[in-house]
Amino acid sequence: MEITQTIYDGLNQAVLSLVPPSAVRILDVGCGTGTFGERLRTDGQRYVAGITYSPQEAELASKRLSKVYCADLTNFDFSSLGKFDCVILSHILEHMYSPTQILERLKSVMGPESVVVVALPNVVWWKQRLQFLMGKWQYQDWGILDRTHFRFFDKYSSAELLKDAGYEILQRRYDGPFPLTKPIRRLIGPSAEKLDRFASQMMPGLLATQFVYLAKVKK
């Protein structure tokens, strides 16, 4: 059966919140159509380069970013790109056979003050746990059990991935919606987002859909 290439076009607010305002040169690894990088460019006089495996995404992203590379990350030479203040890996490492190797090779584009922002999905989010309890592990075209995912993470293994690759975690953000019905969300308005943030920080393993980290190379 042929699997259709997913075109990623999204803006991850949790990742955006951890990008340092001082970062001028940014590399978005797994840039999708460039929507996220375009937002970064409009926030300041920034150079934002992107990398994607999809020619369709690369064509769209080239209209939004400073530079776009269409490449397979498995053997890509990051060192040829120069140095960056911030490297973004938003929901890309779970698609790699060896995410630790990717993180190690990315050190070649980072200086002493450079940082990475990494976002990984939580495979034991409460909805997924219910599926597991019912004996279901069903791959999908998107989401936590995306059929293109090779690796799966929880709160602990996601942090260990960075540490094993030689990175020091500076900040953590656990992000996900508290289980409320749409009518209740509309009723309580902005309080729903506050509840989301509080609950996902208190019970990240259960309620966070993604783990987002700000890290730097450990000295």
Side-chain angles (χ1 to χ4, degrees):
M1 181 179 69
E2 181 181 353
I3 298 175
T4 304
Q5 172 69 46
T6 300
I7 303 299
Y8 179 74
D9 183 16
L11 182 62
N12 194 322
Q13 291 289 347
V15 172
L16 183 64
S17 70
L18 289 184
V19 176
S22 59
V24 176
R25 284 180 55 85
I26 299 173
L27 176 63
D28 188 359
V29 182
C31 64
T33 62
T35 300
F36 185 84
E38 184 178 41
R39 172 64 180 274
L40 291 173
R41 291 187 72 190
T42 58
D43 282 349
Q45 299 299 317
R46 287 167 160 168
Y47 175 90
V48 181
I51 306 175
T52 177
Y53 182 74
S54 165
Q56 294 92 342
E57 288 183 345
E59 182 179 357
L60 294 168
S62 64
K63 301 173 184 177
R64 296 169 169 167
L65 306 183
S66 309
K67 180 71 176 180
V68 177
Y69 302 88
C70 187
D72 183 348
L73 295 178
T74 306
N75 300 305
F76 187 72
D77 181 14
F78 294 106
S79 64
S80 64
L81 307 184
K83 299 294 184 181
F84 291 88
D85 304 314
C86 180
V87 177
I88 295 168
L89 297 139
S90 179
H91 292 267
I92 186 67
L93 291 176
E94 65 270 21
H95 296 269
M96 301 289 102
Y97 282 115
S98 182
T100 303
Q101 184 187 85
I102 300 294
L103 285 165
E104 289 174 345
R105 287 195 284 114
L106 274 169
K107 294 175 185 178
S108 65
V109 302
M110 300 178 67
E113 303 303 321
S114 301
V115 295
V116 294
V117 181
V118 176
L120 294 163
N122 177 17
V123 74
V124 289
W125 180 47
W126 71 271
K127 277 191 177 182
Q128 203 59 61
R129 293 191 193 195
L130 289 178
Q131 292 293 311
F132 294 158
L133 284 172
M134 291 187 288
K136 294 182 180 180
W137 181 295
Q138 296 178 325
Y139 286 103
Q140 304 167 345
D141 292 331
W142 58 276
I144 292 173
L145 292 187
D146 186 312
R147 65 183 76 254
T148 63
H149 287 183
F150 295 121
R151 297 288 300 272
F152 299 92
F153 299 93
D154 62 10
K155 172 187 172 183
Y156 303 101
S157 59
S158 59
E160 287 171 1
L161 172 65
L162 285 163
K163 294 175 182 177
D164 290 345
Y167 287 80
E168 175 188 353
I169 296 174
L170 304 174
Q171 291 186 49
R172 306 166 193 253
R173 184 147 300 175
Y174 305 125
D175 180 63
F178 188 77
L180 297 172
T181 62
K182 289 183 179 180
I184 293 178
R185 281 192 172 274
R186 287 194 294 267
L187 180 65
I188 65 177
S191 296
E193 292 186 5
K194 294 180 181 178
L195 179 59
D196 291 341
R197 289 193 295 270
F198 175 77
S200 58
Q201 294 298 316
M202 293 299 294
M203 295 182 287
L206 184 66
L207 296 178
T209 55
Q210 64 173 348
F211 307 116
V212 187
Y213 300 98
L214 177 71
K216 67 177 181 179
V217 177
K218 191 172 182 179
K219 296 180 181 179

